[in-house]
């Protein structure tokens, strides 16, 4: 079963596609462009449709989702952490 999807292995986040991800759960992801599976452990509870960090990010790093720049990390984000509006901000304003 796939728990999250990633567009390209150069992305920094994947999108959770199942309900009820709890901290500590082992999650299986699918990298679409490379047709490759990856596994991470969730560091936090993550709602369906929200992002999971698949690489560590520092404050100020660009966040890539589906091959697109979606904003900046505004704090350190560790692998497996919930990545959302509390730690990522748009570059538009």
């Amino acid at each position: 079963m796939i728990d999250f999807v990633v567009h390209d292995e150069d992305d920094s986040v994947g999108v959770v596609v199942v309900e009820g991800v709890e901290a500590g759960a082992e999650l299986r992801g699918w990298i679409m462009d490379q047709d490759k599976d990856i596994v991470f452990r969730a560091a936090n509870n993550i709602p369906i449709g929200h992002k999971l960090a698949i690489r560590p990010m520092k404050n100020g790093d660009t966040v890539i989702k589906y091959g697109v720049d979606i904003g900046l990390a505004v704090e350190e984000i560790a692998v497996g952490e919930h990545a959302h509006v509390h730690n990522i901000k748009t570059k538009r304003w």
Side-chain angles (χ1 to χ4, degrees):
M1 178 172 96
I2 298 299
D3 301 303
F4 67 95
V5 294
V6 178
H7 179 74
D8 182 85
E9 64 188 356
D10 291 330
D11 287 355
S12 45
V13 295
V15 177
V16 172
V17 295
V18 295
E19 294 277 359
V21 169
E22 295 183 359
E26 184 175 275
L27 305 177
R28 180 167 306 284
W30 175 50
I31 302 175
M32 295 182 282
D33 277 2
Q34 287 77 27
D35 192 21
K36 178 163 105 173
D37 288 347
I38 53 176
V39 176
F40 289 99
R41 189 161 303 280
N44 320 94
N45 296 345
I46 306 173
I48 189 170
H50 286 226
K51 297 172 291 298
L52 163 79
I54 62 168
R55 63 184 77 263
M57 291 172 269
K58 296 178 186 164
N59 187 356
D61 283 354
T62 294
V63 180
I64 305 296
K65 173 184 161 188
Y66 297 144
V68 175
D69 175 343
I70 63 163
L72 290 175
V74 294
E75 62 185 53
E76 287 192 10
I77 306 172
V79 170
E81 283 190 355
H82 182 201
H84 197 56
V85 297
H86 64 283
N87 53 16
I88 299 172
K89 299 295 181 200
T90 182
K91 294 178 182 177
R92 293 183 184 175
W93 54 82

